[in-house]
Amino acid sequence: MIFLTALPLFWIMISASRGGHWGAWMPSSISAFEGTCVSIPCRFDFPDELRPAVVHGVWYFNSPYPKNYPPVVFKSRTQVVHESFQGRSRLLGDLGLRNCTLLLSNVSPELGGKYYFRGDLGGYNQYTFSEHSVLDIINTPNIVVPPEVVAGTEVEVSCMVPDNCPELRPELSWLGHEGLGEPAVLGRLREDEGTWVQVSLLHFVPTREANGHRLGCQASFPNTTLQFEGYASLDVKYPPVIVEMNSSVEAIEGSHVSLLCGADSNPPPLLTWMRDGTVLREAVAESLLLELEEVTPAEDGVYACLAENAYGQDNRTVGLSVMYAPWKPTVNATVVAVEGETVSILCSTQSNPDPILTIFKEKQILATVIYESELQLELPAVSPEDDGEYWCVAENQYGQRATAFNLSVEFAPVLLLESHCAAARDTVQCLCVVKSNPEPSVAFELPSRNVTVNDSEREFVYSERSGLVLTSILTLRAQAQAPPRVICTARNLYGAKSLELPFQGAHRLMWAKIGPVGAVVAFAILIAIVCYITQTRRKKNVTESPSFSAGDNPPVLFSSDFRISGAPEKYESERRLGSERRLLGLRGEPPELDLSYSHSDLGKRPTKDSYTLTEELAEYAEIRVK
């Protein structure tokens, strides 16, 4: 609000200067609406010793010097004025009382300018005062808005219009103030230099929505068509409010991501994108875009946008979720355990979304979890069957990764059923098949000869390891005789096992004893026995079944309908033995250990040699045929 004095300094100066020197006092500037009138207050003084009988005066326009022939606004001696002021100017003051107040009516823009007063006391006592008043012809009211309008703080806006026309009084009203507040009219006030103004005040508490609002003031003059309007736009200052921002963002690894932050504030805010306290980008703007090229899982997280100006700040966050395939699973190293111990295996990975984790062994699922980053497999009491390679597989909709790991179960040796001795023409091969972890040492013992052969003696024993199974082969060279006793012993740090190897293929040893001639005789006896049995059965069938027809089909039992219990085990043993024999064929026969009898042992041989056995078999065959 503008505070105006009730008693202007102008009149105090006038009263203090009486009886002094040449001087004039008038407002330095004054304004009036076009088409109205204006009264320019004026006082002058001169020395008292002059004592003029009559005091005259002249008002000039834009120049104080008569020699320049300025337009005469008013002249008291002749009433001759410039054509622009004819019928428009008159003197309101009494020059004899040293009052030179001038009234201009129906003012127009061309009358705007400087007005000078010249005192004429007669003769040479004439004086043009340098003081002058500038007239401003206006068409709009003056709206005064505080230099700073802050949202939420009450403000006062004033509308002021000149009121220096004694013939016309202005009336004020507000335009566009709805929702802001009710106006209060203070009325006519006097200014410091003796001019008058009409003032109307509007009090309100602005909001951010009022920023840019166009507020108007209208001055009208009753009984005329004169109306004048003025407008001012409110510049409301307010703190930032973030009005535009991405919601949570999901992006596939390697894709392009744009994060937008927009704020409303006055003045414009400083926008800053941050992550974990690190400034990524900032600028003074209404909106700020953060570009992320080829995003990686490391860029997954929460991003914050901060908007601030001198009046406050605001911030919001947005989550960026980078979707990616599982990383290669990690396992708590290769596990080594002793048979019977409890083993815990932890498999972990990282992905988004969380994966399906599965642990396999030989295509068999042992454990699985859904949407978890860790999987733990508990084996309460491990056994040799748990030894081997395992796989941990992690997968989601974006890919699959797998990691192999080994579980090594250590246990005492176990002698497998495939262990045996077998005879060839003139050799005997003994296989000792051991399953153990760690690898055992194997020894072959021949009690009858008080001989022990270790697997370290490579000239007699050949060994091959496949997985947890160790196969050691001892080859003996002997003449036809009874099968030797061979004991296999396997030993490691967890214990030892021994087994007397069974002798397989005894018929081979028999053929080796009887020789080629005996073989021919035995084959002839076998043919005779078969023929005898066949002829006997035919006679019996003819006697018991006279109605038997040669065209009848006897019932047949197909081999596919017949199953032998324990066949798979036998087949597996034969398969493994076959592979061992193939291995020998590939690697070559190991050196033979010659344990045949010496010449001094001939008396200890069995009494029946192969020839005697052949003759007995021939006699038996002849008796059966008869």
Side-chain angles (χ1 to χ4, degrees), residues 446 449 451 476-479 481 484 593-598:
L446 283 74
R449 302 303 300 162
V451 174
L476 306 176
R477 186 175 60 200
Q479 295 179 357
Q481 58 185 355
L593 181 63
D594 190 358
L595 297 176
S596 57
Y597 292 101
S598 62

Side-chain angles (χ1 to χ4, degrees), residues 215-297:
L215 185 64
C217 179
Q218 184 184 76
S220 59
F221 296 86
N223 302 321
T224 69
T225 60
L226 297 175
Q227 282 188 347
F228 302 92
E229 295 179 356
Y231 292 90
S233 293
L234 297 177
D235 184 20
V236 181
K237 309 295 184 183
Y238 54 91
V241 173
I242 296 178
V243 296
E244 185 178 12
M245 195 168 184
N246 303 76
S247 57
S248 295
V249 178
E250 287 187 356
I252 300 175
E253 182 180 10
S255 63
H256 175 84
V257 174
S258 297
L259 301 179
L260 177 65
C261 178
D264 174 36
S265 71
N266 187 27
L270 172 65
L271 292 176
T272 306
W273 274 107
M274 304 177 67
R275 178 170 181 262
D276 296 334
T278 302
V279 175
L280 304 177
R281 190 184 180 193
E282 64 180 1
V284 177
E286 294 182 354
S287 63
L288 185 62
L289 195 65
L290 179 63
E291 302 280 355
L292 301 175
E293 302 288 346
E294 297 183 356
V295 293
T296 64

Side-chain angles (χ1 to χ4, degrees), residues 521-536 617-618 620-626:
V521 174
F523 184 70
I525 294 172
L526 180 61
I527 293 174
I529 293 173
V530 171
C531 292
Y532 174 77
I533 294 173
T534 303
Q535 185 176 2
T536 304
L617 290 174
Y620 174 77
E622 185 179 356
I623 294 171
R624 295 298 297 172
V625 171
K626 293 178 180 181

